[in-house]
Amino acid sequence: MTQFDLLIESIYPQSDSDELAKKLAVWRFKSQKIVFTHGYFDALHKGHIEYLATAAELGDILVVGIYTDSSASRIKGKRFATIHDEYSRAMVLASLQFVGGVVFIENDPTSTIEIIKPNVLVAGYEPKTLHGYDFVTQNGGSVVTIKTINSENTPGLICSGNEMVS
């Protein structure tokens, strides 16, 4: 199996897929601590890398949920469009050595969180407002907030001439 094949195998198009369920069962059987976070992760930058690397240090396996292209525009508004398509974003994330898996999220990540049942749920903002907070804490998990040095959002980092691209 090639490195590229291994990369593709760590991307789960649906959070309720049989492949993800099998992988979660293996991780749990090995008593590995599962960490979950989610976001858009478009045009990956230093702030994203720092955030994800710090999240990965909180357990054994980091699973990253990314919003699909259609959910991104529904959540952020019709003017918002991701720079990279969802599959490209997933491949970039999956290629990071500290990411164990990538799942796609439609709208609300709560159902994905309930399927993954992470030991640690990570957010970049106030955890009590985070989807899945109650589920994770009621099931013995913890919720951690990670503040990064570079907390700029992606559209603020991408410019064309003097105009901001969003």
Side-chain angles (χ1 to χ4, degrees):
M1 183 172 284
T2 68
Q3 290 296 314
F4 189 74
D5 291 335
L6 292 171
L7 172 84
I8 298 304
E9 280 193 359
S10 66
I11 299 171
Y12 305 95
Q14 297 176 323
S15 60
D16 61 351
S17 72
D18 289 338
E19 294 82 20
L20 178 59
K22 289 175 190 173
K23 197 59 150 176
L24 287 166
V26 168
W27 292 333
R28 288 191 184 108
F29 178 76
K30 292 179 177 180
S31 298
Q32 292 181 302
K33 189 174 185 181
I34 300 170
V35 179
F36 179 77
T37 193
H38 67 280
Y40 300 94
F41 299 107
D42 197 14
L44 215 57
H45 56 73
K46 180 182 178 258
H48 288 135
I49 300 298
E50 179 184 7
Y51 173 83
L52 293 168
T54 304
E57 291 175 3
L58 298 172
D60 302 306
I61 302 291
L62 174 62
V63 179
V64 180
I66 62 167
Y67 289 100
T68 63
D69 296 339
S70 59
S71 66
S73 63
R74 276 195 304 276
I75 294 166
K76 294 269 193 172
K78 293 192 187 288
R79 290 191 60 222
F80 179 82
T82 57
I83 296 161
H84 301 288
D85 66 87
E86 62 196 46
Y87 200 72
S88 295
R89 292 183 285 129
M91 286 182 62
V92 169
L93 286 168
S95 71
L96 297 173
Q97 67 182 6
F98 46 78
V99 173
V102 178
V103 298
F104 292 96
I105 297 173
E106 285 289 340
N107 305 323
D108 181 347
T110 303
S111 62
T112 301
I113 292 166
E114 290 173 356
I115 290 166
I116 293 173
K117 298 177 181 73
N119 302 93
V120 182
L121 179 60
V122 178
Y125 49 89
E126 178 59 38
K128 290 185 180 179
T129 63
L130 182 65
H131 292 287
Y133 175 89
D134 291 337
F135 176 81
V136 171
T137 56
Q138 290 169 3
N139 286 285
S142 61
V143 180
V144 176
T145 302
I146 297 175
K147 299 290 182 190
T148 58
I149 295 169
N150 181 359
S151 60
E152 296 181 59
N153 62 18
T154 300
L157 296 173
I158 300 172
C159 296
S160 172
N162 292 327
E163 292 186 42
M164 183 103 56
V165 176
S166 59

